[in-house]
């Protein structure tokens, strides 16, 4: 495996199965929105390099039980790739993650402070209104530096509301 293909160590691979098991704790629409977030402070994100093949990325998503990877270049997030993006692209000619990813500037995102003040009902409105399946949570570390703090998956929120 090339270092640039998938930035997941063997140790992380072993921990991924336990880490990404679906959270079955029930959510309610009045709960704080942060309860729905996968917090990268506690669980580092799964990532793929721009040159990772689509087949490899999709296989790894299924293996780790996730539906999206952050796309990185030199330890900087440059985009987001989802399983749905890959399924649609297979009909075309794109063969690498970097060719079909959603660029960082276009990723659906929410600010960490806004998320802390929101409820699950607010997330549902955002998902419905923006017609997106993932929200990247961004946290400002300084005026020039923003980091990806976490992600909220629409399908997980909906599943936990039905639990």
């Amino acid at each position: 495996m090339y270092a640039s293909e998938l930035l997941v160590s063997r140790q992380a691979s072993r921990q991924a199965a336990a880490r990404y098991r679906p959270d079955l704790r029930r959510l309610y629409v009045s709960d704080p929105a942060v309860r729905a977030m996968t917090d990268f402070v506690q669980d580092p994100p799964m990532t793929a390099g721009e040159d990772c093949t689509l087949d490899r990325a999709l296989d790894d998503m299924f293996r780790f039980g996730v539906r999206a990877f952050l796309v990185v270049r030199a330890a900087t997030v440059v985009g987001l790739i989802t399983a749905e993006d890959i399924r649609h692209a297979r009909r075309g000619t794109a063969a690498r993650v970097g060719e079909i990813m959603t660029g960082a500037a276009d990723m659906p995102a929410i600010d960490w402070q806004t998320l802390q003040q929101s409820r699950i009902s607010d997330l549902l409105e955002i998902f419905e209104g923006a017609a997106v399946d993932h929200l990247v949570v961004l946290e400002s570390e300084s005026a020039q530096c923003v980091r990806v703090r976490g992600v909220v998956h629409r399908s997980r929120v909906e599943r936990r509301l039905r639990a």
Side-chain angles (χ1 to χ4, degrees), residues 35 48 52 69 83 90 94 106 120-121:
R35 286 201 52 218
C52 180
F69 283 150
R90 287 188 153 194
D106 298 322
I120 298 296
S121 59

Side-chain angles (χ1 to χ4, degrees), residues 94-121:
R96 303 277 175 197
V97 165
E99 297 172 29
I100 67 163
M101 70 180 186
T102 301
D106 298 322
M107 288 188 309
I110 187 170
D111 180 69
W112 169 239
Q113 289 185 345
T114 301
L115 186 75
Q116 289 179 304
Q117 299 168 4
S118 300
R119 299 278 171 210
I120 298 296
S121 59

Side-chain angles (χ1 to χ4, degrees), residues 19-21 23 25 33-46 66 70 112-113 115-116 135-139 141 147-153 156 160:
R19 184 171 83 189
Y20 286 103
R21 286 189 187 125
D23 186 351
R25 290 176 294 163
V34 294
R35 286 201 52 218
M37 180 183 87
T38 300
D39 192 344
F40 295 156
V41 170
Q42 297 171 352
D43 292 319
M46 302 300 290
V66 299
L70 292 176
W112 169 239
Q113 289 185 345
L115 186 75
Q116 289 179 304
L135 281 175
V136 175
V137 181
L138 301 175
E139 182 178 28
E141 292 183 343
R147 74 174 174 148
V148 177
R149 171 67 189 256
V151 67
V152 181
H153 304 274
R156 285 187 184 169
R160 288 176 63 191

